[in-house]
Amino acid sequence: MPAVQSLMSGTTATPFLDLASVVSRLARTSGRLDKAQLVADFLRKLHREEVAPAVLFLTGNTFAESDHRVLNVGFATLQSALALAEAAPPSAPSLALVEVHEQLQAIAEVHGVDAKRRRQALLGALVARATPEEREVLMRSLSGEMRIGLNEGGMLDAIAEAARIPAPLVRTAQMFLGDLGRIAEVALFEGVDAIRAVSLRLLSPIKPMLAEVAESPEAALAEHGGTTAAEYKLDGARVQIHRLEDEVRIFSRRLSDVTASLPEIVELVRALPSRAFVVEGEVLAVDGHGRPLPFQELMRRFRRIHDIEAHRESIPLELRLFDVLHLDGAMLMDLAYQERFTSLERLVPPKLRVERRVVTSREELATFLSQALQAGHEGLMAKRLGAPYTAGKRGKNWLKLKPADTLDVVVLAAEWGHGRRRGVLSNYWLGVRDGDSWQMIGKTFKGLTDAERLQLMQQLLAIKVSEEPGVVHVKPELVVEVAYNDVQKSPTYSSGFALRFARVVRIRSDKGPLEADTYQRLEALYEKQFERKGRVRGGP
Ligand code: AMP
């Protein structure tokens, strides 16, 4: 491979082609360990300034999140740059890894008049110098679709392997830093002690813990072993608030510093009886009656840096805290959530805390859910009492509960079951009415008891029209009521929509197919998700 002349302290810079060939090899390697080994071997050979760009490329990111830089190049621009480059004779390898990263930074910095054309020209020039293998990697990385099966976890393993540091230490450091490139650099060039030292630092944000969707209140309770702490799921904006002596910093969910936009929150926090802490919660915009305002109104406040005082009045903000991660020098993240909440109760008065109730039955949970909805909130969060705070992780220790909606849909076909359900029609294809035809919106095998399943099978077989391997198609006559959590856009089904977590709640023998819900209703439901409650005076 021809060496690329370097500007880096007289050493040879790593060619971009080396990275491209690692990518091709990764695409052909299937084992997680083998992938990590391959990446580790590559990382070990890099110069310090090459490590972060390499890690970013391999994980399909152009820039680190903390960089707040975006490339501003759309897919169409990428494709036209590629088409132009392909028309020209192939280039000999000449690009260095760092150089490609720098060129992309330069593209991101293009703003103002004619920015689109100038970005296109710069990208074109870069792609023109790339070999076909390099172009392939550039395109995959820039479109965020590496398709080499290397996610953040895999990259952390590779970094640990490359630096010969135990993987859990590297993972913990990433939880705090949230910057894979930087973690790799510290691990490889500063060693294990430096990785250990990366931990929660007051006034520096850490990645927030995230939630998964609960299928139903019962499922949430069962997942948490029969007892869960239900909190209002507030339709506000997540904030992580750090205080150290007189300094207060507020960070958004994406870790931007939003302190300057939220002076009244800073005042509230300064009044708390501790001088060193990190707390988390939601900031809400409220109307004159204390009802939550639309999210867009809140965002107007978050983005504002001028005229803040005037907006304090027109869009008042409230704070509801739900967690504490550090208090007076003690790290609380590894403690059980219940213990952290007890500390929070000591630190902040009830009006600054989220409404919360520990529940042990489905009924209690359902009652609290309707209370939350009545108060204008989104639903509930169910939190496992014993769970630590896992920064940056989405998991089942926190479950989002929203009210289930239902639709009356028609069964279009059913699949023969497997295992325990062998010989029984059990996966139902669901459709909504669209004029004279039917649009499929999903499948489900959930919700019915065994007896109901058998009953439905009899009814379906009686209206069978054809059969292909594994699937019985039926006349679209039988209506079932399905509960679901969301309507999503989906390319899988003819309708272009899919129901998330659909489950049959009832066979609607009382309804005929003309009474089934329509495609138009589905579209309206999809749109409705984007509507918000309340309106601000003089607002949109
Ligand atoms: P989602 O954005 O739908 O994934 O839901 C997670 C978000 O819900 C969090 O990032 C918070 O901004 C928000 N949220 C609202 N209320 C709570 C709560 N009580 N506990 C945790 N997160 C909450």
Side-chain angles (χ1 to χ4, degrees):
M1 194 166 296
V4 178
Q5 280 317 301
S6 165
L7 301 173
M8 282 181 291
S9 54
T11 53
T12 309
T14 303
F16 190 61
L17 193 58
D18 284 10
L19 179 111
S21 85
V22 169
V23 169
S24 319
R25 273 184 286 153
L26 280 169
R28 294 195 304 266
T29 308
S30 55
R32 192 183 153 97
L33 285 179
D34 293 340
K35 280 186 201 282
Q37 190 63 53
L38 237 165
V39 176
D41 291 342
F42 177 63
L43 292 179
R44 259 190 227 121
K45 291 188 216 137
L46 300 177
H47 299 289
R48 182 168 185 144
E49 53 276 64
E50 295 171 334
V51 168
V55 166
L56 286 168
F57 275 122
L58 288 171
T59 47
N61 295 301
T62 318
F63 306 114
E65 204 168 331
S66 56
D67 213 357
H68 297 295
R69 235 189 270 250
V70 275
L71 196 59
N72 278 319
V73 169
F75 190 66
T77 310
L78 275 177
Q79 290 222 301
S80 62
L82 191 64
L84 271 178
E86 270 166 3
S91 332
S94 67
L95 289 167
L97 173 53
V98 167
E99 188 187 1
V100 175
H101 185 67
E102 286 167 356
Q103 295 279 335
L104 294 174
Q105 282 180 323
I107 295 174
E109 268 153 30
V110 174
H111 291 292
V113 188
D114 213 14
K116 189 166 175 208
R117 197 198 49 77
R118 286 188 289 143
R119 272 188 226 122
Q120 215 158 343
L122 284 173
L123 185 69
L126 176 64
V127 176
R129 288 183 51 208
T131 66
E133 197 180 7
E134 290 174 327
R135 279 177 203 157
E136 170 78 22
V137 174
L138 266 178
M139 291 303 133
R140 285 199 203 186
S141 187
L142 296 190
S143 61
E145 290 191 36
M146 285 304 279
R147 283 187 252 113
I148 50 175
L150 188 73
N151 57 15
E152 178 171 311
M155 180 51 90
L156 287 168
D157 287 346
I159 294 169
E161 170 69 28
R164 303 201 167 85
I165 293 176
L169 289 183
V170 176
R171 277 195 218 114
T172 308
Q174 167 65 359
M175 273 172 31
F176 289 105
L177 216 54
D179 181 341
L180 275 178
R182 177 93 188 103
I183 290 287
E185 223 184 295
V186 173
L188 284 158
F189 290 89
E190 295 172 28
V192 65
D193 290 339
I195 280 290
R196 275 212 183 88
V198 176
S199 65
L200 179 63
R201 280 165 303 157
L202 290 178
L203 308 179
S204 305
I206 62 161
K207 288 207 204 176
M209 176 165 176
L210 299 169
E212 278 191 16
V213 179
E215 220 169 289
S216 60
E218 302 89 84
L221 261 178
E223 176 67 37
H224 292 172
T227 305
T228 191
E231 297 176 354
Y232 280 9
K233 183 171 192 304
L234 307 163
D235 196 5
R238 175 99 169 238
V239 283
Q240 188 180 100
I241 307 177
H242 294 234
R243 175 178 188 184
L244 185 57
E245 299 302 329
D246 287 333
E247 183 93 38
V248 172
R249 295 239 179 100
I250 309 180
F251 300 97
S252 72
R253 176 184 174 135
R254 305 201 54 201
L255 315 188
S256 315
D257 188 331
V258 290
T259 319
S261 315
L262 307 171
E264 64 268 60
I265 306 293
V266 173
E267 283 164 24
L268 282 174
V269 169
R270 283 228 173 91
L272 295 178
S274 155
R275 306 199 47 89
F277 56 79
V278 178
V279 288
E280 264 200 343
E282 291 267 308
V283 166
L284 304 178
V286 290
D287 66 13
H289 309 287
R291 303 261 313 165
L293 282 172
F295 189 67
Q296 294 91 303
E297 299 304 334
L298 178 61
M299 283 299 107
R300 278 175 42 187
R301 273 297 310 267
F302 259 66
R303 278 193 294 266
R304 200 151 267 290
I305 13 184
H306 305 295
D307 285 342
I308 290 170
E309 287 308 315
H311 280 79
R312 271 177 84 146
E313 284 187 19
S314 66
I315 312 179
L317 298 182
E318 288 192 0
L319 176 65
R320 295 280 185 285
L321 297 171
F322 51 71
D323 218 319
V324 52
L325 314 185
H326 176 113
L327 187 56
D328 295 326
M331 270 281 290
L332 308 184
M333 293 173 63
D334 291 333
L335 295 186
Y337 151 77
Q338 178 58 45
E339 288 178 62
R340 298 199 306 276
F341 204 87
T342 307
S343 298
L344 186 70
E345 285 171 331
R346 274 192 234 116
L347 178 68
V348 298
K351 71 175 186 350
L352 294 186
R353 290 197 306 262
V354 72
E355 287 79 351
R356 171 187 190 261
R357 182 174 297 172
V358 176
V359 298
T360 52
S361 75
R362 205 203 76 85
E363 290 70 31
E364 277 177 290
L365 198 51
T367 310
F368 199 47
L369 176 59
S370 45
Q371 198 176 311
L373 297 171
Q374 287 231 313
H377 301 294
E378 239 183 289
L380 295 177
M381 277 285 191
K383 299 187 175 176
R384 189 194 298 276
L385 295 177
Y389 187 94
T390 42
K393 292 252 165 59
R394 190 179 291 287
K396 291 191 162 51
N397 285 336
W398 286 10
L399 291 169
K400 297 182 248 187
L401 263 176
K402 288 201 257 168
D405 291 312
T406 65
L407 276 175
D408 291 331
V409 300
V410 155
V411 180
L412 302 174
E415 293 172 22
W416 292 110
H418 301 281
R420 199 171 69 78
R421 301 211 176 106
R422 178 174 293 278
V424 183
L425 284 176
S426 51
N427 202 14
Y428 313 110
W429 296 19
L430 312 171
V432 285
R433 195 156 51 80
D434 185 11
D436 294 336
S437 61
W438 297 92
Q439 299 273 7
M440 187 161 166
I441 54 165
K443 297 182 188 178
T444 188
F445 55 88
K446 293 194 173 158
L448 294 179
T449 62
D450 286 346
E452 288 167 329
R453 205 179 289 285
L454 286 175
Q455 180 201 335
L456 190 57
M457 176 163 82
Q458 306 256 302
Q459 290 174 292
L460 290 172
L461 289 175
I463 52 172
K464 167 174 155 178
V465 286
S466 64
E467 183 156 2
E468 57 175 302
V471 188
V472 172
H473 293 268
V474 299
K475 273 197 229 156
E477 283 184 355
L478 232 148
V479 180
V480 291
E481 183 179 334
V482 292
Y484 62 92
N485 291 36
D486 279 309
V487 179
Q488 295 179 313
K489 285 253 190 222
S490 157
T492 314
Y493 302 112
S494 62
S495 62
F497 291 111
L499 298 183
R500 184 132 190 259
F501 293 137
R503 57 225 180 247
V504 180
V505 286
R506 234 172 320 173
I507 305 172
R508 296 298 303 252
S509 318
D510 56 323
K511 285 201 169 182
L514 286 178
E515 291 163 282
D517 279 311
T518 60
Y519 181 69
Q520 289 67 32
R521 169 113 204 275
L522 193 70
E523 276 183 318
L525 286 171
Y526 178 76
E527 287 305 323
K528 194 161 152 240
Q529 306 181 62
F530 303 106
E531 275 173 19
R532 299 279 175 164
K533 304 141 286 193
R535 270 178 197 280
V536 73
R537 262 174 295 130

